[in-house]
Amino acid sequence: MYALCDVNSMYASCEKVFDPTIRNKPVVVLTNNDGCICAACNIAKRAGIGKKFVPYFQVKQELEKAGAVIKSSNYELYADLSQRMMETCTRFAPYSHIYSIDECFLFYGKGAYKPPEGWFEHARSIRRTVWREVRLPIGVGMGLTPTLAKAANHAAKRLDGFRGVAVIETEQERKSILKQMAVSDVWGIGRRISKRLNDIGIHSALDLANARADSMRKMFSVLIADTVLELNGHARISWDDVRSPKKQIFSTRSFGQRVTEKQVLRQAIATHAAIIARKLRKQDSLAVCVMVFAHSSIHAKEPYYRKAMVCEFSAPTNDTRVITKAMCSQIDAIYAEGVRFYKCGVGALELIDTSHYQPDMFVASQDNKALMGCLDFINNKYGRNTMYLAAQGIEQKFAMRRAFLSPQYTTRLADLPKIYCNDV
Ligand SMILES: [Mg+2]
């Protein structure tokens, strides 16, 4: 079973945590430099204000009239509350994966395990506990695959009668929820593809689930075929290649074995920074604000430790060197002696399109486009880690635990089988 926990209007909800006087007011959060609207709470949305990505100056008066509370984005606060929310959620399951600043997947294993109170009550208690401990409202969706958990989460928040919790356990529940969802609301189905799907008569999520996976592969892609299988309860998506949301990019991973050395932690952070930068360039985005975090295991006996830091760039960037340098400079704040680190990660919280970026006359960008183009070209041609920053380390002690890995006979020179011939 999978669960997806997702905070309702994360940034606006964070603003309400320590200020109960604005809990019942429409709250709107602005992006860096108070340029555009980046989040609005449900009350604001219901009042029809706080549309995302609208420039603030255009709607200033309208917001004033509606009595909206305006907040500049406070990423330090959001990053910290995000960590707390994740900490609470991950206590509930043996496996977890942070997907974005306000979403995490929980995984309960492939077996027939079921909590004694049942999945629905379990999901409700996750939601209640997060509210009690962090004062953030979340939606919890559960299903047999990540895509179904996402669908259940959608139902929990948007469909009538769910009130924040939905579980897809039976065939009847699966069909009834998918039937009420537009195909464009399915995880990983973008606007362009849903248009093409509409053209061939696929309108609801259930229509897509009932399509044939092999013909979807031929007409669209393996990803869409996998989505069809996932909607039918066959898990196809693994943590390492889950699609990242476009407005945020996260790279996180647990260590193969606990990390206690500062040097090793720094190398792992540099590796995540490089992944983020590569993904930013791939989708033509620049990062305005990036967070780095590390924590020990919540399931360990020793006291839990976690730390997150946020860096804002006055010149938005997607240069591996700039992001790596900024992240690694936080190492003294993140690292603590004696802590057995279990996981770390880097997340770009605020992105802008490369094409929409207006350079600042007084802040020169450090980015070297040609150099990054060269790096990407070489790594695309010869394999992902052909060229990388030395900051990532040569040995990568933090890498996946693969103690029982067989040699890479066909792809790694050092692993070529050796044959010894004796003269007789
Ligand atoms: Mg959310």
Side-chain angles (χ1 to χ4, degrees), residues 6-7 102 157:
D6 177 359
V7 181
D102 69 330
K157 289 175 148 181

Side-chain angles (χ1 to χ4, degrees), residues 35-86:
C36 298
I37 291 173
C38 70
C41 71
N42 274 339
I43 300 173
K45 280 180 198 157
R46 256 182 266 132
I49 54 171
K51 255 217 181 112
K52 265 192 181 181
F53 312 119
V54 173
Y56 172 53
F57 75 90
Q58 278 182 11
V59 288
K60 200 174 163 194
Q61 275 163 355
E62 189 190 329
L63 292 175
E64 242 166 61
K65 234 196 260 158
V69 178
I70 310 293
K71 294 280 178 184
S72 303
S73 43
N74 179 350
Y75 291 111
E76 283 80 5
L77 175 72
Y78 310 153
D80 189 60
L81 289 179
S82 155
Q83 294 277 299
R84 289 172 196 228
M85 168 248 173
M86 303 291 177

Side-chain angles (χ1 to χ4, degrees), residues 298-339:
I298 195 98
H299 302 295
K301 283 194 191 82
E302 61 259 26
Y304 182 66
Y305 173 90
R306 76 182 151 75
K307 191 82 200 218
M309 297 300 288
V310 172
C311 291
E312 288 184 36
F313 296 100
S314 24
T317 175
N318 61 18
D319 189 303
T320 304
R321 300 164 312 150
V322 178
I323 296 176
T324 305
K325 202 172 159 195
M327 294 295 100
C328 289
S329 70
Q330 301 296 329
I331 186 74
D332 286 323
I334 297 278
Y335 178 80
E337 195 105 20
V339 172

